[in-house]
């Protein structure tokens, strides 16, 4: 057993962090949010040039030829800002194509996704409540798709989308050019990741031949694991933002960091983050190795990370007092992003049920 | 990152497993009726010897002193494998192995190390910890038990210790005393090894809420300790005690009365309870804590096996574990309704024991609040507590 990131992965994290700490700083995010921007296009090119979009894509297809754990590492750093980039959708679309696409689809799209030339969205949700691949209205017939997916993250930036839909009553994933769809902005809680409703009215839809219902479910687990890393990155940013503020802010003649209520609050956040990180590492390992524990590990990582980020982002604002509620303070971005990341794949209720169901299944491995 | 055993680890695991299958055959789960105390101590000593002779006690200790000279990974593997059995052991063994011997070896003389290491390893010496006092628990340095040096160099001890686990079955104690009340409280302490057969020691059992009496009051009246039993210099007791407490934390595993999510799910399988959303959310939460602790431990083991120190964040294991245990035990009672607190429901006895043990774990070895102070101060670098008694000589403090 070697339950740690490799030296190369630690270096990858460090380099990514160095780039983003400046380029996705809170000041920079505020400028973008004020301008109503949906992303930072220049940063996207730089991130692509560093190879951060093609970590899991094979070298012969324009990627770096690393693996899922490296994607997790990058996702974690992206979560710290959070970086104003359509990272998750693009990476998930690339994974879907890489794992379930035809050779032709891979050759056509993976190099463009790795280089950042093409931004992609991953569209599964329709309407309210928990997602279920069999309860979709979007349908494909004779290579044409009809239906509405919403919300879809970053669809306004994306050129293509990987879309979940039924074909002959069976769930599948389809590659669709968003130029052939109508994309309309939706209101959303997060300031920087824009959400859209995407309506298909007979657009050409190419099936990813390997994408079954089980594959779509597995994509949810995969999204949960990448997201867990982003949540932990965000939670950690909140923890140290709160710590630093508390060290400098004085009331009643001493720094608020000296009050036990504040110390214990942040100790609680630390505990949640370390438990979540440990679970996320295990899930990343399970994902990279297609381990039998993958399903429970994904749900475990997701629940832990959601708890940690929710707690950290709220308490960060709390520690900042009234200033925390201002546009000028940096709490806002995580305060909103934490909610987005909790809800968008289904909240804790959904994943708790999923986890307990998986644990109950007679042959589920009960221990990690 | 990988989770599989390396070939060397796999070979060690196979060796440990084979050995346990023979040596521990009598202790295969599920447990029989609980052992009565004296019997448990007898079996515990014997098991410790068996383990030492088999080369599986003191896995991290060097071979010269009877250990295996093994790796943290091997220690963790053996722990896992041993955990599959219902092994007779307890604090009478772990205080010696994880606290007394490491402290003596670090702060004592080579002769002292020699004298206590091997007998402890072989289960011939059992230990208790005489640190806490009525006015000194979290604030351990506030202790009053007095040690005065006599003409011949030996020490005269007078005072009272409390919460002394298994002291009534201990051959030796690690003892923290005050030798100089004229300096600030952390500075005037000295650490000793005490032979529990020395005249002047009275052990009085304290009845616990569980009805058992695992811990005691220990009265020390004109107890004489030879200077050869002093560990470290006079006035260095606090540094010794810190070594003991660090070792205690590092060695802490689950504990006596566990109750985990897998057990609760097994017990509730097929009932409505598991289909209830509120119950699912709680069980899922505790599962994530259990897994988080286990995975966190794996990270720590990895770190130690690369020669990195165990960071202050290790304190979070006990903090997270104890609260979870109390919570899930309460749930296991509630979910059965009235029968969860009376009668023969399958989980009741285990839940009651776990609920009480959860209360112990939240206090013993550093209370929750103290651990949170440590995490915020040592990991997050936040300011220490205000100490009203700072730098004031002990004999000028108000009681
Ligand atoms: C089952 C059991 C076995 C034990 N075995 C042993 C043993 O073998 N040997 C031994 O020496 N000791 C032993 N102990 C003692 C144990 O270490 C102490 O009980 C523990 O350190 C707490 O001290 P206290 O009981 O004096 O509580 P106190 O220190 O009086 O604490 C009472 C409460 O106040 C809180 N508190 C204290 N200081 C602060 C602060 N600065 N900030 C915020 N909150 C604070 C505590 O967290 C706790 O909740 C045992 C205890 C138990 C329960």
């Amino acid at each position: 057993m070697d339950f740690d990131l490799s030296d190369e992965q630690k270096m990858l994290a460090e380099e990514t962090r160095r780039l983003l700490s400046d380029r996705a700083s809170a000041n920079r995010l505020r400028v973008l949010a004020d301008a109503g921007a949906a992303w930072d296009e220049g940063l996207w090119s730089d991130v692509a040039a560093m190879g951060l979009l093609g970590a899991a894509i094979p070298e012969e297809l324009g990627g770096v030829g690393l693996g899922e754990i490296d994607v997790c590492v990058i996702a974690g750093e992206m979560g710290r800002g959070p970086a104003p980039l359509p990272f998750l959708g693009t990476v998930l679309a690339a994974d879907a194509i890489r794992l379930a696409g035809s050779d032709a689809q891979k050759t056509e799209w993976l190099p463009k996704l790795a280089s950042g030339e093409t931004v992609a969205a991953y569209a599964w949700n329709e309407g309210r409540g928990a997602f279920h691949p069999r309860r979709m209205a979007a349908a494909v017939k004779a290579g044409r798709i009809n239906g509405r997916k919403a919300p879809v993250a970053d669809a306004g930036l994306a050129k293509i989308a990987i879309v979940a839909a039924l074909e002959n009553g069976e769930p599948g994933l389809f590659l669709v050019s968003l130029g052939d769809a109508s994309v309309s902005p939706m209101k959303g809680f997060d300031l920087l990741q824009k959400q859209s409703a995407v309506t298909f009215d007979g657009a050409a839809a190419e099936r990813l031949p390997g994408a079954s219902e089980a594959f779509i479910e597995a994509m949810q687990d995969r999204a949960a694991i990448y997201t867990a890393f982003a949540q932990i990155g965000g939670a950690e940013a909140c923890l140290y933002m709160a710590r630093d503020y508390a060290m400098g802010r004085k009331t009643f003649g001493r720094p608020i960091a000296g009050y036990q209520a504040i110390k214990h609050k942040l100790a609680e956040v630390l505990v949640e983050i370390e438990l979540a990180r440990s679970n996320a590492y295990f899930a990343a390992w399970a994902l990279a190795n297609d381990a039998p524990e993958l399903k429970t590990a994904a749900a475990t990582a997701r629940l832990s990370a959601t708890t940690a980020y929710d707690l950290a982002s709220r308490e960060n604002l709390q520690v900042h007092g009234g200033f925390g509620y201002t546009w000028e303070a940096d709490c806002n971005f995580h305060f909103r992003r934490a909610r987005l990341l909790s809800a968008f794949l289904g909240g804790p209720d959904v994943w708790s049920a999923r986890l307990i169901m998986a644990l109950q299944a007679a042959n589920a491995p009960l221990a990690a | 990152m990988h989770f599989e055993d390396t070939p060397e680890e796999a070979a060690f695991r196979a060796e440990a497993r084979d050995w346990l299958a023979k040596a521990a055959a009598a202790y295969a789960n599920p447990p029989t009726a609980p052992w009565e105390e004296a019997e448990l101590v007898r079996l515990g000593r014997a098991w410790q010897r068996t383990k030492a002779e088999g080369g599986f006690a003191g896995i991290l200790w060097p071979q010269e002193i009877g250990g295996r000279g093994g790796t943290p990974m091997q220690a963790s593997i053996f722990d896992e494998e041993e955990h599959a059995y219902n092994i007779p052991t307890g604090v009478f063994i772990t205080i010696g192995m994880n606290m007394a011997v490491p402290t003596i070896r670090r702060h004592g003389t080579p002769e002292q190390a020699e004298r206590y290491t091997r007998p402890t390893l072989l289960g011939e010496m059992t230990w208790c910890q005489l640190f806490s006092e009525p006015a000194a628990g979290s604030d351990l340095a506030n202790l009053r038990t007095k040690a005065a040096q006599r003409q011949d160099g030996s020490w005269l001890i007078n005072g009272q210790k409390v919460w002394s686990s298994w002291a009534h079955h201990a051959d030796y104690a690690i003892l923290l005393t005050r030798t100089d009340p004229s300096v600030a409280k952390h500075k005037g302490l000295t650490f000793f090894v005490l032979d529990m057969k020395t005249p002047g020691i009275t052990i009085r059992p304290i009845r616990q809420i569980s009805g058992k009496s695992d811990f005691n009051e220990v009265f020390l009246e004109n107890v004489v300790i030879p200077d050869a039993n002093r560990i470290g210099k006079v006035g260095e007791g606090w540094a010794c005690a810190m070594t003991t407490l660090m070792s205690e934390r590092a060695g802490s595993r689950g504990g006596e009365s566990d109750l985990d999510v897998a057990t609760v799910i097994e017990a509730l399988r097929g009932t409505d309870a598991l289909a209830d959303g509120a119950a699912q959310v709680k069980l899922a939460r505790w599962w994530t804590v259990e897994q988080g602790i286990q995975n966190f431990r794996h990270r720590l083991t990895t770190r130690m096996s690369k020669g990195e120190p165990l960071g202050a964040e290790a304190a979070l294991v006990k903090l997270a574990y104890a609260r979870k245990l109390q919570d899930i035990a309460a749930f296991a009672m509630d979910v059965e309704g009235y029968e969860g607190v009376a009668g023969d429901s399958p989980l009741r006895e285990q839940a009651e024991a776990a609920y009480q043990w959860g209360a112990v774990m939240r206090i013993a070895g550093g209370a929750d609040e103290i651990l949170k102070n440590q995490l915020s101060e040592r990991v997050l670098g936040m300011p220490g507590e205000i100490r009203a008694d700072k730098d004031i000589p002990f004999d000028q403090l108000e009681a």
Side-chain angles (χ1 to χ4, degrees), chain A residues 145-162:
Chain A
I145 183 166
N146 283 285
R148 179 175 184 271
K149 305 300 275 190
V152 181
D154 299 316
L157 303 170
K159 193 159 153 194
I160 59 167
I162 300 299

Side-chain angles (χ1 to χ4, degrees), chain A residues 1-4 243 247 254 257 260 263-264 268 272 274 278-279 285 300 304 353 355 360 366 368, chain B residues 1-4 9 269 285 287-288 291-292 295-296 299 302 306 323 372-373 377 380-381 383 385:
Chain A
M1 179 176 79
D2 180 357
F3 195 35
D4 196 2
R243 194 272 314 262
M247 298 292 274
R254 58 185 177 117
Q260 212 172 59
K263 289 167 72 175
H264 286 192
E268 296 280 355
E272 294 303 333
E274 288 307 324
S278 308
N279 285 331
W285 170 82
T300 303
S304 288
L355 175 61
Q360 261 189 94
L366 275 179
Chain B
M1 185 184 295
H2 69 91
F3 246 91
E4 301 81 7
E9 287 162 8
R269 195 182 281 283
R285 162 72 188 164
W287 170 267
T288 66
Q291 297 294 297
N295 289 322
F296 181 75
R299 285 173 59 208
T302 295
K306 292 178 182 170
R323 286 190 303 188
K372 285 194 228 170
N373 277 352
E377 291 167 23
L380 298 177
E385 298 289 292

Side-chain angles (χ1 to χ4, degrees), chain A residues 1-6 9-10 69 239-240 243 246-247 254-260 262-268 270-282 284-285 289 296 299-301 303-304 307 348-349 351-357 359-362 365-368, chain B residues 1-6 9 73 76 261-263 265-266 268-270 274-275 277 279-285 287-299 301-303 305-306 308 313 316 319-320 323 368-373 375-377 379-386:
Chain A
M1 179 176 79
D2 180 357
F3 195 35
D4 196 2
L5 301 175
S6 68
Q9 285 159 346
K10 286 180 189 168
I69 298 179
L239 173 61
Y240 287 98
R243 194 272 314 262
M247 298 292 274
R254 58 185 177 117
I256 59 170
Y259 293 114
Q260 212 172 59
I262 303 289
K263 289 167 72 175
H264 286 192
K265 192 193 282 302
L266 297 190
E268 296 280 355
L270 174 74
V271 171
E272 294 303 333
I273 288 175
E274 288 307 324
L275 295 179
R277 195 197 313 281
S278 308
N279 285 331
Y281 279 15
F282 184 70
W285 170 82
N289 293 280
T296 52
T300 303
L303 287 164
S304 288
T307 303
D349 292 9
W351 286 86
S352 295
R354 215 174 147 102
L355 175 61
I356 297 304
M357 231 83 97
L359 291 177
Q360 261 189 94
L366 275 179
Chain B
M1 185 184 295
H2 69 91
F3 246 91
E4 301 81 7
D5 288 338
T6 62
E9 287 162 8
M73 208 58 79
S76 154
V261 171
T263 306
I265 287 183
E266 254 343 284
L268 297 179
R269 195 182 281 283
L274 286 182
Q280 289 174 338
V281 168
K282 290 184 206 168
L283 288 168
R285 162 72 188 164
W287 170 267
T288 66
V289 173
E290 287 170 9
Q291 297 294 297
I293 290 172
Q294 186 174 329
N295 289 322
F296 181 75
R297 280 176 163 285
H298 288 147
R299 285 173 59 208
T301 306
T302 295
R303 222 187 283 168
S305 60
K306 292 178 182 170
E308 295 167 32
E313 65 269 28
L316 70 83
L319 183 61
R323 286 190 303 188
D368 284 4
E369 292 75 15
I370 300 303
L371 296 182
K372 285 194 228 170
N373 277 352
L375 289 171
S376 57
E377 291 167 23
V379 182
L380 298 177
M382 297 171 83
E385 298 289 292
I386 290 178

Side-chain angles (χ1 to χ4, degrees), chain B residues 130-131 133 140 143 145 161 174-177 189-191 237 241:
Chain B
L130 299 181
F131 280 20
E133 296 183 9
L140 179 60
L143 60 87
T145 294
K161 296 289 175 179
I174 43 178
L175 170 70
L176 195 58
T177 65
L189 305 177
T190 302
F191 195 100

Side-chain angles (χ1 to χ4, degrees), chain B residues 192-220:
Chain B
F192 293 96
V193 166
L194 169 63
D195 181 339
M196 290 298 282
K197 286 183 288 297
T198 315
I201 303 176
T202 310
I203 302 174
R204 229 179 260 159
I206 302 176
R207 195 161 173 207
Q208 300 165 316
I209 61 170
S210 62
K212 290 192 278 186
S213 301
D214 294 342
F215 60 29
N216 305 275
E217 291 176 291
V218 176
F219 296 90
L220 304 163

